Structure formats: structure tokens, C-alpha cells
Amino acid sequence: VTPGWVWTYNNKNTYAAETTFKSGLVGVGMIVPFSKALGIRVDGRVMSTSAEKVRDDGRKWTGGGIGAGGTLTGYWNIFRGVNLQAGGKLQWLNGGDVGWYSKAGYFASLGYSYKF
């Protein structure tokens, strides 16, 4: 909300819009062990994205493009099935005329693996 600002299509100082992205993807990845206990996992993907934006007055925009994403994870097998993983992930969706959306984050997990 900006004081004194009014959107011309609805004569209000706010508006609402909903954007939906849909993507199909193709990816490749690999696990690179440095030893029995340490290694990394890397993967990348290319995404064909379609997007739709609908404003509160019903006006609609559509678009599409090529996006990308990737994950990098390090792992450590600490002791007899106890393991630690940590890494980061990035994703970028290209909606063409609708715009783009990106998100990045990191993660960590401590777990136990049991071999059947």
C-alpha cells in the first residue's frame, strides 16, 4: 500500500493477483565419493515452464520459457549408519511475459541408514 497511489483499473491503492507456474523437467546428476565416509551429490535440471497470472479484475496474462535448477549436497557417513547431509538448492522458473520466479535455500539432515 502506497499512500496517495491509486491503481487506474480499480481506483484502489491495492490490487490482488495470482500467478501459477507449471514446469516439466529433464535432469542429470551424479554422486562423487571421496572416500567410504565422504562425498558429494550434484544434480541439475532444465525446465520448460508455462505461467499464468490472473488479476482481481479477471485480466489474464500467459507466458512461458526455459528455466533451470540445481542441488549440491555433501554427505558424511559418521559411524555405522549414522550420516549427515548438508547442501543448497536453487530453482529459477521463467514465465516469459508473466515474469520469473526464483527460490534458493539450504538444508541439513542427520539420519540413520539401515541396510536390509
Side-chain angles (χ1 to χ4, degrees), residues 59-84:
R59 186 164 178 202
K60 185 189 307 187
W61 292 265
T62 60
I66 301 296
T71 305
L72 175 63
T73 307
Y75 66 87
W76 176 28
N77 294 318
I78 301 168
F79 178 75
R80 294 188 181 179
V82 177
N83 52 69
L84 174 69

Side-chain angles (χ1 to χ4, degrees), residues 11-106:
N11 291 322
K12 296 179 182 178
N13 61 354
T14 61
Y15 85 95
E18 183 175 309
T19 305
T20 304
F21 290 88
K22 296 179 182 178
S23 297
L25 61 93
V26 171
V28 64
M30 66 181 178
I31 296 174
V32 181
F34 300 129
S35 68
K36 279 190 155 190
L38 295 171
I40 61 171
R41 185 188 110 205
V42 179
D43 67 66
R45 53 205 164 273
V46 175
M47 293 172 269
S48 175
T49 303
S50 64
E52 178 182 81
K53 180 177 184 175
V54 180
R55 201 167 59 184
D56 57 0
D57 66 348
R59 186 164 178 202
K60 185 189 307 187
W61 292 265
T62 60
I66 301 296
T71 305
L72 175 63
T73 307
Y75 66 87
W76 176 28
N77 294 318
I78 301 168
F79 178 75
R80 294 188 181 179
V82 177
N83 52 69
L84 174 69
Q85 293 185 61
K89 183 175 183 177
L90 171 67
Q91 187 154 296
W92 179 67
L93 303 174
N94 180 359
D97 293 337
V98 173
W100 57 273
Y101 176 80
S102 66
K103 187 131 185 155
Y106 55 90

